Structure formats: C-alpha cells, structure tokens
C-alpha cells in the first residue's frame, strides 16, 4: 500500500556537493566556442558557482515536499509518485509519464493547474529516476514494462479507467499503456510521436512522411551522440557524471537549452533555481546512470512492437522547438488520431515551459471522454 513520502537532505550531503563544485577542474575553452561544441563552459562555470554558493536547495526541497508525495511497491520496486486530487472530489484520473533528463519534476508546475481543472493527477518516477528505486540488474524495465507497472499503480489507487499523457520516454510509456491496456485507457495524449521506426516500403509513404523520416535521421546524426552513449556504454559516462556535479550539470543543461523554446538562452525557459532543482534531484538520488541505462533496454525492443498502431483515441501536441515534428499523415498512420494541436510556443519540456497552455490542452482533449 502507498505511504506518504517526503525527501530529506542532510547538511553533510550538501557540504559534499558544494565542495565538489568548488574543486572542479575546468577544461580549456576554445575561443568563441559558445555552445557550438557542446555546453558553453563559461556559462556552466557561472551557474555552477551559483549552485555552490547561492542555490537554496532546502527551500526547493520544501516546495517539492508540499506536493502530495507517496511511495508504494510495484513489481519489486519502491515507486515514488505524486497523487494530487481535484479539490472538489470526483476528479478525472490522469496519469502523466515523464522522460529524460528529468523526473516527476517535469510536471511540478502543471500539477496544481490540472487539479483545479478537475483532474486527479498521478505522476510517478520511473524505476531508476528520481526517488524511485534504481534497478539492480542489467535489464531494467523498458517502456513496455513501465506501462505495466503504471497500470498496476492505477489499480492500487482505485482507478480502473483513466487517461494517459506524456512526452519523451513518457510518450512511449503512454503509447504502451494504450496498446496493452486499451480496456482501461480512455484516451491518450502525447507531446511527440517518438522517433520514427519504419521497416516497410518507403514508396507507401506520403512525401511529407518521407521528409519526416529524413529529418529525424538528420537530427539523430547531428544531435544524437548522447543517446548513442546511453544505449551502448552508459556505465562509462555514469562514472564521470555520478562523481562530478559540474559534469552532471553540463550533460543536462545542454539538453535543456537545445530542446526548449529559449532562443539560445536557457534561462528564458527555466530559471536557475528550476534548472538546479532538476539537476540536484539527479545528484542526490544518484540516478544518472540508472536513467541512462533505460535507453539500452529500450533500444532492444523488437521492431514488431514499434509497428503496432494505437487504436485508443489519441491526441498530440506539437511544439515548435521540439526535436522533430511529425506530419499529420504520420500521426494518422501510427494512431487513431482525433486531435492535433500545433502550439505557437514551447519545446520538449512543454509542461514546464508553457504550463497553463499545456493544462488547457489536456482539459480540451480529455473532457470529451
């Protein structure tokens, strides 16, 4: 059964973090490199100094602890989740699934908005992320297995029918919830369609679909080095990232900037405190390695699973600064698509970047069900 949960950080943990930040051995910086070769080290030094000497983690942790947080055991894992109910009772159950490089943090801004709109909101941390257990074996749960865990979680909470929504890896989790539990998932909303997998004859595709496959492949070639590392040698990267908070910050903040609608200035999309809250969760829980390992098991999912079409009513929100944008023809191919909304602003982390618009979109989509 579920038990209330609050996180608690000791002074010794924070002293260790600050000492490591102050002792960082910084690399040389090519002149005028900026963000062209990865993280802007000059920016990173500045925010790392703030992390060591100005960031108030106890205040941020207290804010997180004001959320209704719980732990329960499912499939042998202690799972951490937020369960926030609509204030007037009889809320519409909605399960939100996060991705990488985040955790339940992705939805912290939007949770109170959704409860005011009449939802009972459930936001779990996947195994290996945030405050959920880190899998100990070499084959942690993939998105298919996590979908099964989340179906069991919703049963524990008394929700036999519910809506599912998510982005990034959470988009895949939501997809498999709809595929494997269609009798329970009323409708599914996704912030992306995932990276396309197509093994048929490309001549069957519309030109816009072929262009989409090409653009996704080009993105992967230019920006996908992190994912290749996660899929193939996650433990090699984990040694450095789990030991160096500056390295961990570099690995995550570069993605927050590249994948958000920030015009090149990451702090247009996230405040420093918001960035560092996300990264500090990774640091204190020691989950960067376990989070990366999920890419390895997801990469081994059989191609036949990728070819399955979602028949549960599906909605998609497409944001201008997200990684790749699928055309409507592709969305109709992979799902029973009943609503597509193209937003004017926002990126990969839309619930954090545009929380009011994202909450309103979920309300507009799910209210018909």
């Amino acid at each position: 059964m579920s038990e209330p949960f609050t996180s608690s950080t000791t002074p010794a943990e924070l002293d260790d973090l600050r000492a490591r930040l102050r002792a960082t051995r910084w690399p040389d910086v090519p002149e005028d490199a900026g963000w062209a070769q990865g993280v802007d080290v000059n920016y990173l030094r500045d925010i790392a100094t703030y992390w060591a000497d100005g960031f108030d983690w106890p205040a941020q942790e207290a804010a997180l602890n004001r959320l209704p947080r719980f732990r329960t055991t499912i499939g042998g894992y202690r799972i951490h989740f937020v369960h926030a109910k609509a204030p007037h009772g009889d809320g519409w159950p909605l399960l939100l699934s996060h991705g990488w490089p985040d955790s339940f943090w992705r939805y912290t801004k939007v949770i109170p908005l959704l409860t005011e709109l009449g939802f009972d909101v459930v936001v779990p941390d996947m195994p290996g992320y945030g405050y959920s257990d880190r899998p100990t074996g070499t084959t942690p749960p993939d998105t298919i297995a996590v979908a099964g865990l989340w179906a069991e979680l919703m049963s524990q909470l008394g929700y036999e029918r519910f809506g599912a929504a998510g982005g990034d890896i959470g988009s895949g989790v939501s997809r498999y919830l709809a595929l494997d539990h269609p009798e329970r998932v009323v409708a599914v909303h996704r912030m992306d369609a995932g990276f396309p997998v197509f093994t048929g004859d490309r001549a069957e595709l519309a030109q816009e679909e072929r262009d989409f496959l090409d653009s996704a492949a080009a993105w992967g070639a230019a920006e996908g080095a992190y994912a290749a590392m996660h899929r193939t040698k996650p433990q090699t990267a984990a040694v450095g990232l789990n030991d160096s908070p500056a390295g961990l910050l570099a690995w995550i903040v570069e993605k927050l900037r590249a994948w958000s609608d920030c015009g090149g200035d990451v702090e247009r999309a996230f405040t420093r405190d918001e960035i560092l809250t996300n990264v500090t969760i990774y640091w204190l829980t020691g989950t960067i390695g376990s989070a990366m390992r999920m890419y390895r098991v997801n990469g081994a999912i059989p191609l036949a699973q990728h070819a399955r079409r979602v028949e549960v009513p599906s909605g998609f929100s497409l944001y201008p600064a997200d990684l790749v944008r699928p055309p409507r023809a592709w969305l109709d191919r992979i799902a029973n698509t009943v609503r597509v909304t193209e937003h004017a602003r926002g990126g990969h982390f839309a619930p954090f970047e545009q929380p009011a618009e994202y909450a309103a979109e979920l309300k507009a989509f799910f209210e018909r069900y």
Side-chain angles (χ1 to χ4, degrees), residues 23-328:
T24 299
R25 189 171 76 154
W26 295 99
D28 67 297
V29 182
E31 186 176 354
D32 299 324
W35 294 89
Q37 299 182 34
V39 73
D40 182 337
V41 176
N42 293 322
Y43 170 79
L44 194 72
R45 292 187 71 156
D46 187 45
I47 192 173
T49 298
Y50 175 71
W51 196 7
D53 299 322
F55 178 60
D56 189 350
W57 169 249
Q60 299 301 322
E61 186 171 48
L64 295 176
N65 282 334
R66 286 193 286 273
L67 292 168
R69 300 169 65 186
F70 301 87
R71 266 184 175 169
T72 191
T73 299
I74 303 174
Y77 301 104
R78 286 183 307 163
I79 297 297
H80 164 257
F81 64 98
V82 174
H83 185 196
K85 296 185 178 182
H88 305 299
D90 196 26
W92 203 93
L94 177 62
L95 173 66
L96 302 177
S97 296
H98 68 81
W100 187 90
D102 51 90
S103 60
F104 79 107
W105 168 89
R106 175 183 287 241
Y107 295 105
T108 50
K109 279 187 176 181
V110 81
I111 289 170
L113 303 179
L114 290 170
T115 57
E116 286 297 324
L117 290 172
F119 291 99
D120 282 0
V121 182
V122 180
V123 187
D125 279 336
M126 292 187 292
Y129 289 74
Y131 294 92
S132 288
D133 278 355
R134 292 174 303 213
T136 56
T138 57
T139 54
D142 60 16
T143 51
I144 302 173
V146 170
L149 296 177
W150 288 179
E152 184 175 341
L153 173 62
M154 296 304 276
S155 292
Q156 278 195 16
L157 298 177
Y159 300 123
E160 287 309 309
R161 298 272 285 166
F162 56 91
D168 193 78
I169 295 174
S171 176
V173 171
S174 300
R175 173 177 177 267
Y176 283 113
L177 272 165
L179 286 169
D180 295 339
H181 306 275
E183 75 286 355
R184 299 190 59 196
V185 176
V186 178
V188 61
H189 182 277
R190 299 161 64 186
M191 285 178 270
D192 56 75
F195 275 85
V197 177
F198 184 74
T199 59
D201 182 354
R202 283 174 59 111
E204 300 173 5
L205 302 177
Q207 183 60 51
E208 59 181 348
E209 293 178 287
R210 294 195 292 271
D211 292 343
F212 170 56
L213 294 179
D214 292 341
S215 66
W219 187 94
E223 299 290 341
Y226 80 98
M229 191 71 180
H230 290 194
R231 284 193 306 270
T232 58
K233 308 294 181 184
Q235 286 304 103
T236 301
V239 173
L241 301 180
N242 203 56
D243 184 64
S244 166
L248 177 67
L249 178 60
W251 200 253
I252 292 177
V253 77
E254 192 266 331
K255 300 310 175 197
L256 294 180
R257 174 187 177 273
W259 299 350
S260 63
D261 191 6
C262 69
D265 178 2
V266 65
E267 293 184 24
R268 284 179 51 187
F270 313 95
T271 68
R272 288 197 169 192
D273 284 353
E274 290 166 352
I275 293 168
L276 293 174
T277 295
N278 182 32
V279 180
T280 302
I281 291 171
Y282 270 96
W283 177 259
L284 293 173
T285 59
T287 49
I288 189 61
S290 54
M292 292 190 298
R293 287 195 295 271
M294 192 178 189
Y295 279 68
R296 187 174 178 87
V297 292
N298 283 344
I301 292 174
L303 289 176
Q305 292 285 357
H306 296 284
R308 297 167 68 192
R309 185 175 189 268
V310 176
E311 300 302 336
V312 169
S314 299
F316 291 89
S317 281
L318 306 181
Y319 293 90
D322 208 347
L323 313 187
V324 291
R325 177 177 289 200
R328 178 62 188 255

